[in-house]
Amino acid sequence: MLVRKDSKIIAVDGSRMAMFKNVGEAFAPVLELIEEHKNPSLRTSELGTDKPGRSFQSKSPHRGTHELTDLQQQEEDRFVTEVAHRIEKIVANTKAGVVLIAAPRALGVIRKHLKSDTSAKLLAEIPKAFGPDEAKSLAKMLTKHEV
């Protein structure tokens, strides 16, 4: 995939967002970190301590439990929703183009919150999680990726 010089690459997962700018050539991108946001990870016990709900059937002695809400996932979804609003502003103010790389679940949440004209302006949406050495590995992945 050719990524023009000065294009922005946004990488997102449930706990962080990193924005890079291509300072290299289109056929050999070199990514420079320009912005990073991290979601402070709280332990589930710090997010809530509820026990599973119980239900009783009036005509039967049977009792059932309700599944616990995944508070960690809710927190990640809240963070990714905030990131989606940030992406709206970035795409509106960028002329060179934006590539979005996100973990599959995070990409689904982002797609729900992006306006259709913003989605149309994205150069590519790539469902892929990224690792701690993201700049070099993302640049390498972008050179091999086909749209």
Side-chain angles (χ1 to χ4, degrees):
M1 171 179 191
L2 295 178
V3 180
R4 291 186 297 179
K5 189 171 184 170
D6 295 329
S7 291
K8 293 198 169 91
I9 293 84
I10 301 173
V12 182
D13 68 8
S15 61
R16 64 188 170 160
M17 182 271 269
M19 182 168 52
F20 301 92
K21 179 175 152 182
N22 182 17
V23 294
E25 298 302 318
F27 54 87
V30 176
L31 304 182
E32 178 182 281
L33 181 67
I34 56 174
E35 184 178 324
E36 184 174 28
H37 298 283
K38 291 185 179 182
N39 187 20
S41 279
L42 297 175
R43 294 188 333 223
T44 302
S45 63
E46 294 171 341
L47 293 172
T49 58
D50 284 347
K51 294 180 181 178
R54 312 249 322 135
S55 64
F56 303 95
Q57 296 177 353
S58 61
K59 296 183 181 182
S60 171
H62 299 293
R63 296 180 181 186
T65 60
H66 299 285
E67 187 176 336
L68 270 178
T69 303
D70 187 350
L71 300 174
Q72 199 75 31
Q73 189 61 55
Q74 277 186 342
E75 181 61 21
E76 287 182 6
D77 290 349
R78 181 203 57 76
F79 175 75
V80 173
T81 300
E82 289 176 6
V83 167
H85 297 301
R86 178 76 181 115
I87 291 170
E88 290 274 346
K89 293 175 186 173
I90 293 167
V91 170
N93 297 325
T94 301
K95 294 190 178 12
V98 176
V99 175
L100 176 60
I101 303 168
R105 179 168 175 88
L107 185 57
V109 174
I110 290 170
R111 283 177 177 158
K112 282 187 215 175
H113 295 284
L114 285 183
K115 296 176 185 168
S116 59
D117 59 324
T118 303
S119 293
K121 290 179 184 177
L122 291 174
L123 298 175
E125 291 180 356
I126 303 171
K128 188 163 185 84
F130 63 100
D133 57 341
E134 57 266 327
K136 289 182 181 178
S137 61
L138 285 176
K140 186 176 179 181
M141 189 266 304
L142 285 171
T143 59
K144 295 179 180 179
H145 185 74
E146 294 181 21
V147 180

